[in-house]
Amino acid sequence: MEEQDIPIDINIGKLLEWLINRRHCSKDWHVKVLTIREKINNAIQDMPVHEEIAKLLSGSYINYFHCLKIVEILKETEADTKNVFGRYGSQRMKDWQEILRLYEKDNLYLAEVSQILIRNVNYEIPSIKKQIQKLEQIQADFEKREADHKKSENAARSEFNSLCKQLGIPGKQIKQELSEKVKELPEIYEKIAKKIKSLEKVVEFYCGFVNYTLGRQYDDGCVPMIQYIVDKGNTTTYEWIYGEAPLSISEPPLNISLDNDDLEKKKVEDIDNVGIDFGEIDINGGINFGDVNLEAGGEIDWGDGNVEEAVLGDIDYNISLEESGIVVEAAGHEGGIATGTEAYTVLDNPSTRNDFINQLFELEAFLKLRLYEFKGDDSINFLSFSQLQDSSCIVQNSTLENNQNMLDNVQVVLSEILDTKVQHLHNIKHSARYVDVLTSSLKQKLSLVDKMIALQKSVREKREKCAQEVTTVRPLLQLLIQRTKELQVEIEKDISKKYKNRVVHLTGGINML
């Protein structure tokens, strides 16, 4: 193979060193090129308006090969300044021709473009690529954060809607809607009371079993509250206590403030009204302490006479009930008025309600134990059932099937009374503090929804800003890669001319990035 056919391979990283070692360029080239750069900066200030020149002057560092193209363009724009000897009278042309002459001396241009190529390949292009990758990573992080905020928004909104659905309110004016919803409680309790009627056989079965086990009648009743509701229904607590229905019912008003400011004001007024001025008490013209000083060590001045004699001497013990005006109510509080907690129904009164629920659990536990015995070992069952031969008929005739039915009835009533909505409404009615906490919880979820929406907007704006930066930087990268490839080709051609047009390959270049 002839030497002409052997290609010259030069690694771009070693290009400048290769040129200096072969004496194509001098070691002090970077000092001499400063003068040329200054002349280029001055020449650029006076350039004709031309599209190709504008392209050459934008997007990259001006090098020797750009100067060659500028001179070719000036040959057209400055053609009218050419004299008969072929020389141009234009100062622009003279300046750029001078720049080319200085570049070509000692191959300064070749050293400079080699350094530009090395810098672009090793630093500029990788740096811009890393910048784009970083922006894309930030953009992806923002997308993830936006999705997380959207997920949190949906979760908070779902919790809000779920709780509102449990309460049966739209959630627009929460306190007002809750106060309206509480009015449904009597109807709910009435439905539950009707289902409690189905527990009559359960109560009879349980009482029969307990009485047989004790060997006597259980005095207070096994589940008195359930038995009472089965017999009487959901009556007032007054009737449960006294055994007689009241003539009138005065249930305490619903303590729900629709305005938080009014609520705080009421609390302050309640505190102020706690104290009692005993000096103003006057019972039927009786005791009036007036301005009596009751400090430690003080004494009450009763006058000069004997207190005991004065008091006893004025009392006439022979006064009839008619003359005294005292009215004695008949037994059973007939004609009474149900007020306060006694005006609530037994299922609505917190105290009796808790007793009722506890007794339901008691029945459930009993029936579950009986089911366990039915499903247990046959020999044990035979012994257990043989011991109940002297018990009541309902106990003797109990089977697995009817025991399961009784348990189902108890659990249905339990599920009704312990329903989430019923418990919420019960707590709302009997606790103003609970209303405030529940309202705050709902408003907090709405506030979280608004916060998540605002965060999504903020993150979205940042993500779009990153996307715009990527859109701006990417064309610059493509232009730099294109100019670097063109520069690589020009250097390969120039070196090839110096070696009788042998093929030159600059390896490790732009294609390796």
Side-chain angles (χ1 to χ4, degrees):
M1 181 181 290
E2 296 182 5
E3 183 182 358
Q4 186 68 23
D5 298 328
I6 301 175
I8 301 174
D9 295 332
I10 308 171
N11 186 279
I12 287 180
K14 300 293 182 76
L15 176 59
L16 189 56
E17 183 181 349
W18 187 90
L19 292 172
I20 294 173
N21 288 339
R22 283 157 181 76
R23 300 184 184 277
H24 294 297
C25 303
S26 59
K27 292 183 178 180
D28 60 347
W29 66 270
H30 55 279
V31 177
K32 297 177 182 179
V33 85
L34 294 177
T35 304
I36 301 174
R37 299 311 307 177
E38 185 177 353
K39 288 184 176 294
I40 289 176
N41 290 334
N42 293 332
I44 287 175
Q45 307 302 321
D46 181 28
M47 295 295 292
V49 178
H50 195 280
E51 184 178 352
E52 289 296 324
I53 291 178
K55 273 181 168 182
L56 290 172
L57 297 180
S58 64
S60 63
Y61 189 81
I62 296 177
N63 56 58
Y64 169 76
F65 299 109
H66 292 152
C67 295
L68 287 177
K69 293 178 182 179
I70 290 173
V71 170
E72 292 298 322
I73 294 170
L74 290 177
K75 286 180 181 180
E76 298 177 6
T77 60
E78 309 296 322
D80 56 344
T81 65
K82 192 175 182 180
N83 59 26
V84 294
F85 299 103
R87 295 182 179 178
Y88 291 88
S90 169
Q91 185 61 40
R92 292 173 181 167
M93 179 63 81
K94 290 179 181 179
D95 290 341
W96 286 102
Q97 286 177 337
E98 175 66 13
I99 290 170
L100 290 179
R101 186 184 65 79
L102 293 173
Y103 258 138
E104 291 168 355
K105 185 178 180 181
D106 296 331
N107 291 324
L108 287 179
Y109 73 93
L110 192 56
E112 186 188 46
V113 294
S114 297
Q115 187 193 44
I116 293 173
L117 180 65
I118 294 170
R119 185 173 65 245
N120 287 352
V121 171
N122 292 338
Y123 303 104
E124 297 296 336
I125 294 176
S127 175
I128 296 178
K129 284 189 173 182
K130 287 181 179 178
Q131 182 182 358
I132 293 174
Q133 288 176 355
K134 184 177 180 180
L135 288 172
E136 288 176 342
Q137 180 61 45
I138 294 174
Q139 188 177 350
D141 292 341
F142 282 141
E143 288 178 358
K144 183 180 178 183
R145 286 171 60 183
E146 185 178 357
D148 290 341
H149 293 325
K150 183 64 178 178
K151 186 177 179 181
S152 298
E153 176 203 344
N154 292 337
R157 194 187 300 276
S158 176
E159 290 175 5
F160 175 81
N161 293 334
S162 176
L163 187 52
C164 287
K165 186 177 180 181
Q166 287 179 1
L167 296 169
I169 61 174
K172 303 297 183 183
Q173 296 177 328
I174 299 172
K175 280 194 173 182
Q176 183 175 350
E177 293 165 2
L178 290 176
S179 63
E180 291 295 325
K181 207 67 182 174
V182 169
K183 297 177 182 178
E184 298 179 6
L185 270 178
E187 183 180 352
I188 294 173
Y189 286 140
E190 191 61 33
K191 291 180 180 179
I192 295 175
K194 289 180 180 178
K195 293 185 179 180
I196 295 173
K197 298 286 186 181
S198 64
L199 303 184
E200 183 176 3
K201 293 291 184 181
V202 183
V203 174
E204 184 181 353
F205 176 55
Y206 181 53
C207 290
F209 189 91
V210 171
N211 292 336
Y212 174 76
T213 304
L214 294 177
R216 59 180 176 81
Q217 190 76 19
Y218 189 67
D219 297 334
D220 297 330
C222 300
V223 279
M225 181 60 67
I226 298 176
Q227 181 68 63
Y228 177 81
I229 298 175
V230 169
D231 296 337
K232 301 283 188 178
N234 186 31
T235 68
T236 61
T237 308
Y238 182 98
E239 186 173 346
W240 157 257
I241 295 173
Y242 302 115
E244 294 288 342
L247 290 182
S248 62
I249 300 172
S250 179
E251 188 172 306
L254 190 63
N255 188 20
I256 296 180
S257 174
L258 301 181
D259 184 27
N260 289 333
D261 294 334
D262 291 343
L263 179 63
E264 294 300 326
K265 183 179 178 181
K266 183 179 182 304
K267 289 179 181 178
V268 173
E269 291 174 352
D270 290 343
I271 293 172
D272 293 338
N273 292 333
V274 170
I276 299 176
D277 184 3
F278 288 99
E280 299 298 330
I281 295 177
D282 188 358
I283 304 175
N284 296 328
I287 302 172
N288 187 350
F289 289 99
D291 297 327
V292 175
N293 185 359
L294 297 179
E295 293 179 1
E299 296 181 355
I300 300 175
D301 184 8
W302 296 99
D304 297 331
N306 188 297
V307 176
E308 184 178 355
E309 292 178 357
V311 174
L312 295 177
D314 294 337
I315 297 177
D316 184 3
Y317 294 98
N318 299 317
I319 299 176
S320 64
L321 291 176
E322 291 77 6
E323 291 174 344
S324 68
I326 298 174
V327 177
V328 179
E329 294 183 353
H333 293 256
E334 184 178 355
I337 300 174
T339 59
T341 56
E342 293 181 357
Y344 294 130
T345 63
V346 289
L347 290 180
D348 193 19
N349 190 319
S351 177
T352 53
R353 170 191 167 89
N354 289 337
D355 291 341
F356 172 74
I357 292 173
N358 290 336
Q359 290 174 20
L360 282 178
F361 281 123
E362 184 179 342
L363 283 181
E364 184 188 35
F366 166 72
L367 293 172
K368 284 183 177 180
L369 182 60
R370 297 299 297 161
L371 275 179
Y372 176 78
E373 292 175 350
F374 273 115
K375 296 176 181 179
D377 185 62
D378 292 339
S379 60
I380 298 176
N381 289 340
F382 177 78
L383 179 61
S384 176
F385 297 144
S386 63
Q387 293 174 350
L388 299 175
Q389 290 179 356
D390 297 331
S391 62
S392 60
C393 294
I394 191 169
V395 176
Q396 292 185 39
N397 297 331
S398 64
T399 63
L400 175 63
E401 183 178 357
N402 62 29
N403 201 91
Q404 182 64 58
N405 291 335
M406 287 189 288
L407 177 61
D408 292 340
N409 290 337
V410 172
Q411 290 177 336
V412 166
V413 176
L414 263 176
S415 65
E416 292 281 346
I417 196 69
L418 296 178
D419 180 72
T420 305
K421 177 182 177 181
V422 176
Q423 293 195 76
H424 277 309
L425 295 180
H426 177 80
N427 293 333
I428 289 167
K429 181 175 181 179
H430 296 285
S431 173
R433 175 62 179 163
Y434 186 85
V435 178
D436 293 336
V437 171
L438 189 59
T439 303
S440 298
S441 177
L442 286 168
K443 288 183 177 179
Q444 185 179 11
K445 295 183 189 304
L446 284 180
S447 176
L448 182 60
V449 169
D450 294 338
K451 182 180 179 181
M452 290 299 106
I453 291 174
L455 287 175
Q456 286 177 69
K457 182 180 178 182
S458 175
V459 171
R460 190 182 306 114
E461 290 174 353
K462 293 178 181 179
R463 176 176 58 80
E464 291 172 354
K465 185 178 179 181
C466 283
Q468 290 176 357
E469 290 184 21
V470 172
T471 305
T472 304
V473 174
R474 200 180 293 279
L476 296 178
L477 175 64
Q478 297 302 323
L479 179 61
L480 182 58
I481 290 175
Q482 178 187 346
R483 294 290 174 85
T484 304
K485 286 181 177 180
E486 293 172 357
L487 189 60
Q488 180 176 342
V489 173
E490 293 289 349
I491 294 173
E492 288 174 346
K493 288 180 180 178
D494 196 274
I495 295 175
S496 178
K497 291 177 183 178
K498 298 181 184 299
Y499 288 89
K500 300 179 182 180
N501 295 325
R502 285 175 62 184
V503 177
V504 176
H505 295 301
L506 294 180
T507 60
I510 195 68
N511 295 327
M512 300 297 293
L513 295 177

